[in-house]
Amino acid sequence: MKQAPALMLQGTASDVGKSILTAALCRIFVQDGLATAPFKSQNMSLNSYITPDGKEIGRAQGLQADACRIAATTDMNPILLKPKKDMVSQVVVHGRPLQDYEARAYREQYLPQAEGIVREALARLRSAYDLVVMEGAGSPAEVNLKDRDIVNMRLAGWADAPVLLVADIDRGGVFASIVGTLEILEPHERERVKGFVINKFRGDVSLLQPGLDWLEQRTGKPVLGVIPFLPQLGLEDEDSASLDAKLSAPCPSYSKDKLDIAVIRLPRLSNFTDFDPLPEEPDVALRYVAAPGELGSPDAVIIPGSKNTVDDLLFLRESGLEQQLLIYVQEGGSVVGICAGYQMLGRLLSDPEHMESDRDEVHGLGLLPVSTVFTPDKRTVRVTGEGAVGSPGNAGLYPVKGYEIHMGRTSFLEPVRHPFSIAVSLPNGLAGGEFHDDGAITADGRVWGTYIHGIMHNDGLRRAWLNGLRSGRGWPPVAEQLDFGGKREAALDRLADHVRRHLDMRRIYEMIRISG
């Protein structure tokens, strides 16, 4: 069977921009008429994506599939590692949890099996598309990991793929990072590197030119592009490294003209892309809070998803944030819980099989009359339906869609108002099967929780919720509705145009032996 060519992006380190550049190249190749698919053999991230058939992959590969204008499949990310605690990750294989592995056991016991899974997934993509754009992980120069590598140079060899080595100039030491990486590579690996991409450049490129000339002379390999830093990209981050960089930026100061929305920065926070639309709203200032002294008096607090609900609930308790949140609600504050955050808002969390902790049960915040039991079965589905948030008299119905990823099963301890009615989505996006109630909301509409990740990505519902917060300040509602999905699609085109201008696409097409 004919196998399509592949191109691979590897990096001198993590978080140098491989994922975003892969998405950019995917969109460029699609714009040029090539049926293109992304591939990352193994991803480590708590920011996951649910495919149309209800499987879990890395969020970056979901974004890259969107850049290719195709539906994401697990072949694009056959192995996903979701850290649960230090040195332990849940291993997800083709979208379904396999088991938890300690790092050494995963390397020694599972990686030999993983090679076959990775190679088969890649072969299927190469037989179905004109081109596969592959993304490496971390650095190819990790000498302690190379003998069982399934993510970098051995993978490039299996696909006979030319490699572009990406380096982040914004972090400093860009020439040393490139030359040092090449020095550590073995000769046949070094030969596979066909050129360099210097990413996140700020300033006058003419001042960099002497260094570029030196690099090309020193290595005998071309610099294929210097990509200027692109501010306000409008595309989601991949993982906690990206989130940490975001959190290191100064928090937005309080504005009398904007709603102040605080997200609790849980230690094991997951699916933080749930909140991406909020900073794009002109009347919102979003910030992350990790300590009681940072909370203040926001217009709303969001408790997000978590890979370990029990431990993160204990973090709230031990840090003093729980007590502060309870006082905040007593004084009329608004709180939203998503997935794990929804579970924490309940009265009791039970873990009889010790799926998350060594505790049989732990009391929740007690703000909603619900109880959750953790079970071995993980629910991963896309959902669609309708819903309303706010007080009963001010809550119109809006269409909603999103996805669920959770191992807990939640029951209601007394009659409760449900904010959403949803059904599992079919691959075509339509509802399949019977609708059921999701979530719980207090009578005054100030506290609510849901299992639906991406709930804030629903434009009408998001604006209705924000207008409810505006009403609490005595402000008039905003009528104009942000089209976040359209803005994201435009951001992909903007990214592709930006990268195309600064990358030598002619030489890249020559590398993959396709006429561009």
Side-chain angles (χ1 to χ4, degrees), residues 285-299:
L286 186 75
R287 57 191 176 92
Y288 289 82
V289 170
E294 300 171 358
L295 185 61
S297 300
D299 295 286

Side-chain angles (χ1 to χ4, degrees), residues 184-360:
I184 293 173
L185 295 179
E186 297 175 27
H188 71 277
E189 297 171 329
R190 198 176 304 131
E191 176 60 27
R192 194 166 288 285
V193 176
K194 301 304 182 185
F196 312 121
V197 180
I198 295 178
N199 197 25
K200 307 181 190 177
F201 179 72
R202 305 170 193 252
D204 183 348
V205 73
S206 67
L207 299 177
L208 187 64
Q209 193 60 50
L212 303 180
D213 295 339
W214 174 88
L215 180 63
E216 292 188 338
Q217 183 177 11
R218 173 69 170 76
T219 64
K221 298 179 185 293
V223 176
L224 296 169
V226 176
I227 312 299
F229 177 77
L230 187 61
Q232 298 178 326
L233 180 56
L235 295 172
E236 57 259 40
D237 295 314
E238 178 187 16
D239 53 27
S240 58
S242 302
L243 180 62
D244 289 341
K246 180 187 294 185
L247 294 180
S248 67
C251 283
S253 57
Y254 177 81
S255 170
K256 64 179 181 180
D257 301 320
K258 290 191 174 186
L259 296 169
D260 176 22
I261 298 179
V263 177
I264 302 299
R265 174 53 159 120
L266 300 173
R268 298 155 192 87
L269 184 155
S270 67
N271 294 83
F272 53 85
T273 50
D274 280 345
F275 321 114
D276 282 355
L278 291 172
E280 301 296 325
E281 293 282 4
D283 59 340
V284 170
L286 186 75
R287 57 191 176 92
Y288 289 82
V289 170
E294 300 171 358
L295 185 61
S297 300
D299 295 286
V301 174
I302 300 175
I303 307 177
S306 166
K307 193 65 189 78
N308 192 313
T309 308
V310 172
D311 283 355
D312 277 349
L313 174 58
L314 294 176
F315 158 75
L316 291 182
R317 191 153 291 156
E318 293 163 1
S319 68
L321 273 168
E322 176 189 40
Q323 186 61 31
Q324 197 164 9
L325 283 170
L326 295 176
I327 294 172
Y328 169 76
V329 172
Q330 287 177 350
E331 294 176 348
S334 297
V335 176
V336 175
I338 299 175
C339 197
Y342 169 38
Q343 296 168 344
M344 294 181 200
L345 291 176
R347 294 177 184 170
L348 188 68
L349 294 88
S350 301
D351 193 4
E353 299 186 49
H354 295 173
M355 300 302 301
E356 290 212 356
S357 70
D358 58 1
R359 296 171 179 249
D360 292 332

